[in-house]
PDB file of all heavy atoms in Angstrom:
ATOM      1  N   SER A  99      40.037  36.256  24.161  1.00 98.00           N
ATOM      2  CA  SER A  99      39.749  35.311  25.246  1.00 98.00           C
ATOM      3  C   SER A  99      38.723  34.223  24.760  1.00 98.00           C
ATOM      4  O   SER A  99      38.531  33.258  25.482  1.00 98.00           O
ATOM      5  CB  SER A  99      39.108  35.926  26.455  1.00 98.00           C
ATOM      6  OG  SER A  99      37.950  36.640  26.148  1.00 98.00           O
ATOM      7  N   LEU A 100      38.178  34.403  23.487  1.00 98.00           N
ATOM      8  CA  LEU A 100      37.359  33.386  22.998  1.00 98.00           C
ATOM      9  C   LEU A 100      37.971  32.945  21.684  1.00 98.00           C
ATOM     10  O   LEU A 100      37.618  33.121  20.573  1.00 98.00           O
ATOM     11  CB  LEU A 100      35.912  33.985  22.687  1.00 98.00           C
ATOM     12  CG  LEU A 100      35.174  34.521  23.861  1.00 98.00           C
ATOM     13  CD1 LEU A 100      33.812  35.170  23.471  1.00 98.00           C
ATOM     14  CD2 LEU A 100      34.805  33.319  24.897  1.00 98.00           C
ATOM     15  N   ASN A 101      38.965  32.084  21.894  1.00 98.00           N
ATOM     16  CA  ASN A 101      39.849  31.628  20.769  1.00 98.00           C
ATOM     17  C   ASN A 101      39.855  30.172  20.522  1.00 98.00           C
ATOM     18  O   ASN A 101      40.620  29.676  19.689  1.00 98.00           O
ATOM     19  CB  ASN A 101      41.329  32.238  20.959  1.00 98.00           C
ATOM     20  CG  ASN A 101      42.025  31.621  22.198  1.00 98.00           C
ATOM     21  OD1 ASN A 101      41.409  30.864  22.965  1.00 98.00           O
ATOM     22  ND2 ASN A 101      43.218  31.988  22.334  1.00 98.00           N
ATOM     23  N   SER A 102      39.052  29.371  21.294  1.00 98.00           N
ATOM     24  CA  SER A 102      39.049  27.926  21.149  1.00 98.00           C
ATOM     25  C   SER A 102      37.578  27.488  21.053  1.00 98.00           C
ATOM     26  O   SER A 102      36.813  27.734  21.843  1.00 98.00           O
ATOM     27  CB  SER A 102      39.719  27.317  22.318  1.00 98.00           C
ATOM     28  OG  SER A 102      39.911  25.895  22.204  1.00 98.00           O
ATOM     29  N   VAL A 103      37.359  26.768  19.947  1.00 98.00           N
ATOM     30  CA  VAL A 103      36.006  26.324  19.577  1.00 98.00           C
ATOM     31  C   VAL A 103      35.802  24.837  19.674  1.00 98.00           C
ATOM     32  O   VAL A 103      36.618  24.087  19.064  1.00 98.00           O
ATOM     33  CB  VAL A 103      35.669  26.791  18.100  1.00 98.00           C
ATOM     34  CG1 VAL A 103      34.233  26.506  17.848  1.00 98.00           C
ATOM     35  CG2 VAL A 103      36.015  28.223  17.922  1.00 98.00           C
ATOM     36  N   PHE A 104      34.869  24.417  20.362  1.00 98.00           N
ATOM     37  CA  PHE A 104      34.560  23.028  20.482  1.00 98.00           C
ATOM     38  C   PHE A 104      33.217  22.819  19.784  1.00 98.00           C
ATOM     39  O   PHE A 104      32.173  23.295  20.145  1.00 98.00           O
ATOM     40  CB  PHE A 104      34.335  22.592  21.966  1.00 98.00           C
ATOM     41  CG  PHE A 104      34.348  21.121  22.183  1.00 98.00           C
ATOM     42  CD1 PHE A 104      35.410  20.446  22.954  1.00 98.00           C
ATOM     43  CD2 PHE A 104      33.434  20.244  21.661  1.00 98.00           C
ATOM     44  CE1 PHE A 104      35.405  19.128  23.088  1.00 98.00           C
ATOM     45  CE2 PHE A 104      33.422  18.913  21.842  1.00 98.00           C
ATOM     46  CZ  PHE A 104      34.460  18.310  22.547  1.00 98.00           C
ATOM     47  N   PHE A 105      33.270  22.121  18.617  1.00 98.00           N
ATOM     48  CA  PHE A 105      32.045  21.888  17.798  1.00 98.00           C
ATOM     49  C   PHE A 105      31.212  20.697  18.262  1.00 98.00           C
ATOM     50  O   PHE A 105      31.696  19.729  18.645  1.00 98.00           O
ATOM     51  CB  PHE A 105      32.512  21.603  16.324  1.00 98.00           C
ATOM     52  CG  PHE A 105      33.131  22.803  15.683  1.00 98.00           C
ATOM     53  CD1 PHE A 105      34.402  22.707  15.233  1.00 98.00           C
ATOM     54  CD2 PHE A 105      32.401  24.061  15.399  1.00 98.00           C
ATOM     55  CE1 PHE A 105      35.040  23.866  14.547  1.00 98.00           C
ATOM     56  CE2 PHE A 105      32.962  25.116  14.831  1.00 98.00           C
ATOM     57  CZ  PHE A 105      34.324  24.967  14.359  1.00 98.00           C
ATOM     58  N   VAL A 106      29.930  20.974  18.262  1.00 98.00           N
ATOM     59  CA  VAL A 106      28.932  19.938  18.652  1.00 98.00           C
ATOM     60  C   VAL A 106      27.797  19.983  17.571  1.00 98.00           C
ATOM     61  O   VAL A 106      27.993  20.495  16.499  1.00 98.00           O
ATOM     62  CB  VAL A 106      28.296  20.263  20.070  1.00 98.00           C
ATOM     63  CG1 VAL A 106      29.417  20.017  21.165  1.00 98.00           C
ATOM     64  CG2 VAL A 106      27.774  21.663  20.248  1.00 98.00           C
ATOM     65  N   ASN A 107      26.650  19.340  17.896  1.00 97.00           N
ATOM     66  CA  ASN A 107      25.689  19.169  16.913  1.00 97.00           C
ATOM     67  C   ASN A 107      24.462  20.130  17.058  1.00 97.00           C
ATOM     68  O   ASN A 107      23.669  20.247  16.090  1.00 97.00           O
ATOM     69  CB  ASN A 107      25.007  17.788  16.981  1.00 97.00           C
ATOM     70  CG  ASN A 107      26.137  16.755  16.738  1.00 97.00           C
ATOM     71  OD1 ASN A 107      26.538  16.563  15.662  1.00 97.00           O
ATOM     72  ND2 ASN A 107      26.542  16.071  17.861  1.00 97.00           N
ATOM     73  N   SER A 108      24.348  20.831  18.181  1.00 97.00           N
ATOM     74  CA  SER A 108      23.160  21.554  18.357  1.00 97.00           C
ATOM     75  C   SER A 108      23.307  22.595  19.530  1.00 97.00           C
ATOM     76  O   SER A 108      24.330  22.548  20.199  1.00 97.00           O
ATOM     77  CB  SER A 108      21.944  20.715  18.743  1.00 97.00           C
ATOM     78  OG  SER A 108      22.180  20.096  19.972  1.00 97.00           O
ATOM     79  N   GLY A 109      22.338  23.448  19.769  1.00 98.00           N
ATOM     80  CA  GLY A 109      22.407  24.447  20.848  1.00 98.00           C
ATOM     81  C   GLY A 109      22.400  23.781  22.203  1.00 98.00           C
ATOM     82  O   GLY A 109      23.101  24.192  23.110  1.00 98.00           O
ATOM     83  N   SER A 110      21.494  22.761  22.359  1.00 98.00           N
ATOM     84  CA  SER A 110      21.379  22.129  23.620  1.00 98.00           C
ATOM     85  C   SER A 110      22.746  21.468  23.968  1.00 98.00           C
ATOM     86  O   SER A 110      23.152  21.486  25.139  1.00 98.00           O
ATOM     87  CB  SER A 110      20.228  21.004  23.542  1.00 98.00           C
ATOM     88  OG  SER A 110      19.000  21.672  23.445  1.00 98.00           O
ATOM     89  N   GLU A 111      23.367  20.834  22.876  1.00 98.00           N
ATOM     90  CA  GLU A 111      24.704  20.195  23.252  1.00 98.00           C
ATOM     91  C   GLU A 111      25.756  21.285  23.623  1.00 98.00           C
ATOM     92  O   GLU A 111      26.579  21.016  24.405  1.00 98.00           O
ATOM     93  CB  GLU A 111      25.070  19.412  22.026  1.00 98.00           C
ATOM     94  CG  GLU A 111      24.282  18.102  21.914  1.00 98.00           C
ATOM     95  CD  GLU A 111      24.859  17.280  20.673  1.00 98.00           C
ATOM     96  OE1 GLU A 111      25.993  17.122  20.576  1.00 98.00           O
ATOM     97  OE2 GLU A 111      24.022  16.922  19.832  1.00 98.00           O
ATOM     98  N   ALA A 112      25.633  22.421  22.988  1.00 98.00           N
ATOM     99  CA  ALA A 112      26.607  23.496  23.405  1.00 98.00           C
ATOM    100  C   ALA A 112      26.442  23.945  24.799  1.00 98.00           C
ATOM    101  O   ALA A 112      27.322  24.111  25.605  1.00 98.00           O
ATOM    102  CB  ALA A 112      26.417  24.741  22.387  1.00 98.00           C
ATOM    103  N   ILE A 113      25.112  23.970  25.222  1.00 98.00           N
ATOM    104  CA  ILE A 113      24.846  24.311  26.704  1.00 98.00           C
ATOM    105  C   ILE A 113      25.487  23.240  27.531  1.00 98.00           C
ATOM    106  O   ILE A 113      26.013  23.513  28.657  1.00 98.00           O
ATOM    107  CB  ILE A 113      23.399  24.502  26.877  1.00 98.00           C
ATOM    108  CG1 ILE A 113      22.820  25.600  26.114  1.00 98.00           C
ATOM    109  CG2 ILE A 113      23.042  24.697  28.330  1.00 98.00           C
ATOM    110  CD1 ILE A 113      23.393  27.034  26.400  1.00 98.00           C
ATOM    111  N   GLU A 114      25.186  22.011  27.238  1.00 98.00           N
ATOM    112  CA  GLU A 114      25.702  20.919  28.124  1.00 98.00           C
ATOM    113  C   GLU A 114      27.191  21.001  28.196  1.00 98.00           C
ATOM    114  O   GLU A 114      27.729  20.747  29.276  1.00 98.00           O
ATOM    115  CB  GLU A 114      25.281  19.607  27.442  1.00 98.00           C
ATOM    116  CG  GLU A 114      23.826  19.174  27.274  1.00 98.00           C
ATOM    117  CD  GLU A 114      23.088  19.018  28.541  1.00 98.00           C
ATOM    118  OE1 GLU A 114      23.784  18.736  29.600  1.00 98.00           O
ATOM    119  OE2 GLU A 114      21.830  18.980  28.542  1.00 98.00           O
ATOM    120  N   GLY A 115      27.912  21.167  27.037  1.00 98.00           N
ATOM    121  CA  GLY A 115      29.346  21.287  27.217  1.00 98.00           C
ATOM    122  C   GLY A 115      29.809  22.463  27.965  1.00 98.00           C
ATOM    123  O   GLY A 115      30.850  22.332  28.806  1.00 98.00           O
ATOM    124  N   ALA A 116      29.183  23.637  27.900  1.00 98.00           N
ATOM    125  CA  ALA A 116      29.476  24.830  28.621  1.00 98.00           C
ATOM    126  C   ALA A 116      29.321  24.619  30.156  1.00 98.00           C
ATOM    127  O   ALA A 116      30.168  25.017  31.014  1.00 98.00           O
ATOM    128  CB  ALA A 116      28.671  25.970  28.163  1.00 98.00           C
ATOM    129  N   LEU A 117      28.211  23.914  30.544  1.00 98.00           N
ATOM    130  CA  LEU A 117      27.996  23.623  32.014  1.00 98.00           C
ATOM    131  C   LEU A 117      29.086  22.735  32.515  1.00 98.00           C
ATOM    132  O   LEU A 117      29.514  22.957  33.649  1.00 98.00           O
ATOM    133  CB  LEU A 117      26.613  23.056  32.184  1.00 98.00           C
ATOM    134  CG  LEU A 117      25.343  23.905  31.776  1.00 98.00           C
ATOM    135  CD1 LEU A 117      24.094  23.053  31.988  1.00 98.00           C
ATOM    136  CD2 LEU A 117      25.346  25.191  32.530  1.00 98.00           C
ATOM    137  N   LYS A 118      29.456  21.739  31.776  1.00 98.00           N
ATOM    138  CA  LYS A 118      30.459  20.776  32.256  1.00 98.00           C
ATOM    139  C   LYS A 118      31.790  21.527  32.344  1.00 98.00           C
ATOM    140  O   LYS A 118      32.466  21.265  33.360  1.00 98.00           O
ATOM    141  CB  LYS A 118      30.525  19.611  31.248  1.00 98.00           C
ATOM    142  CG  LYS A 118      29.388  18.635  31.387  1.00 98.00           C
ATOM    143  CD  LYS A 118      29.437  17.613  30.220  1.00 98.00           C
ATOM    144  CE  LYS A 118      30.718  16.757  30.244  1.00 98.00           C
ATOM    145  NZ  LYS A 118      30.713  15.732  29.144  1.00 98.00           N
ATOM    146  N   LEU A 119      32.049  22.343  31.406  1.00 98.00           N
ATOM    147  CA  LEU A 119      33.358  23.013  31.432  1.00 98.00           C
ATOM    148  C   LEU A 119      33.440  24.040  32.677  1.00 98.00           C
ATOM    149  O   LEU A 119      34.481  24.090  33.363  1.00 98.00           O
ATOM    150  CB  LEU A 119      33.631  23.850  30.211  1.00 98.00           C
ATOM    151  CG  LEU A 119      34.797  24.732  30.082  1.00 98.00           C
ATOM    152  CD1 LEU A 119      36.064  23.893  30.274  1.00 98.00           C
ATOM    153  CD2 LEU A 119      34.872  25.464  28.776  1.00 98.00           C
ATOM    154  N   ALA A 120      32.303  24.656  32.963  1.00 98.00           N
ATOM    155  CA  ALA A 120      32.298  25.545  34.098  1.00 98.00           C
ATOM    156  C   ALA A 120      32.503  24.783  35.422  1.00 98.00           C
ATOM    157  O   ALA A 120      33.238  25.280  36.313  1.00 98.00           O
ATOM    158  CB  ALA A 120      30.952  26.266  34.190  1.00 98.00           C
ATOM    159  N   LYS A 121      31.908  23.646  35.554  1.00 98.00           N
ATOM    160  CA  LYS A 121      32.106  22.811  36.781  1.00 98.00           C
ATOM    161  C   LYS A 121      33.537  22.340  36.871  1.00 98.00           C
ATOM    162  O   LYS A 121      34.122  22.293  37.914  1.00 98.00           O
ATOM    163  CB  LYS A 121      31.122  21.621  36.752  1.00 98.00           C
ATOM    164  CG  LYS A 121      29.745  21.937  37.092  1.00 98.00           C
ATOM    165  CD  LYS A 121      28.856  20.737  37.128  1.00 98.00           C
ATOM    166  CE  LYS A 121      27.510  20.937  37.660  1.00 98.00           C
ATOM    167  NZ  LYS A 121      26.687  19.721  37.803  1.00 98.00           N
ATOM    168  N   ARG A 122      34.039  21.974  35.714  1.00 97.00           N
ATOM    169  CA  ARG A 122      35.469  21.493  35.655  1.00 97.00           C
ATOM    170  C   ARG A 122      36.494  22.611  36.056  1.00 97.00           C
ATOM    171  O   ARG A 122      37.353  22.384  36.738  1.00 97.00           O
ATOM    172  CB  ARG A 122      35.828  20.984  34.208  1.00 97.00           C
ATOM    173  CG  ARG A 122      37.265  20.536  34.036  1.00 97.00           C
ATOM    174  CD  ARG A 122      37.548  19.248  34.860  1.00 97.00           C
ATOM    175  NE  ARG A 122      38.910  18.757  34.553  1.00 97.00           N
ATOM    176  CZ  ARG A 122      40.048  19.197  35.119  1.00 97.00           C
ATOM    177  NH1 ARG A 122      39.891  20.150  36.099  1.00 97.00           N
ATOM    178  NH2 ARG A 122      41.212  18.705  34.875  1.00 97.00           N
ATOM    179  N   LEU A 123      36.253  23.801  35.628  1.00 98.00           N
ATOM    180  CA  LEU A 123      37.112  24.955  35.816  1.00 98.00           C
ATOM    181  C   LEU A 123      37.068  25.401  37.331  1.00 98.00           C
ATOM    182  O   LEU A 123      38.086  25.844  37.827  1.00 98.00           O
ATOM    183  CB  LEU A 123      36.766  26.173  34.931  1.00 98.00           C
ATOM    184  CG  LEU A 123      37.008  25.979  33.449  1.00 98.00           C
ATOM    185  CD1 LEU A 123      36.399  27.041  32.618  1.00 98.00           C
ATOM    186  CD2 LEU A 123      38.484  25.849  33.126  1.00 98.00           C
ATOM    187  N   THR A 124      35.917  25.321  37.898  1.00 98.00           N
ATOM    188  CA  THR A 124      35.733  25.928  39.250  1.00 98.00           C
ATOM    189  C   THR A 124      35.728  24.916  40.317  1.00 98.00           C
ATOM    190  O   THR A 124      35.885  25.289  41.532  1.00 98.00           O
ATOM    191  CB  THR A 124      34.444  26.687  39.273  1.00 98.00           C
ATOM    192  OG1 THR A 124      33.309  25.845  39.079  1.00 98.00           O
ATOM    193  CG2 THR A 124      34.332  27.825  38.232  1.00 98.00           C
TER     194      THR A 124
END
Side-chain angles (χ1 to χ4, degrees):
S99 60
L100 297 174
N101 64 357
S102 185
V103 184
F104 197 115
F105 291 120
V106 291
N107 301 284
S108 69
S110 293
E111 290 184 47
I113 297 296
E114 299 286 348
L117 297 178
K118 288 171 63 179
L119 178 58
K121 286 184 172 182
R122 177 69 175 85
L123 291 171
T124 63

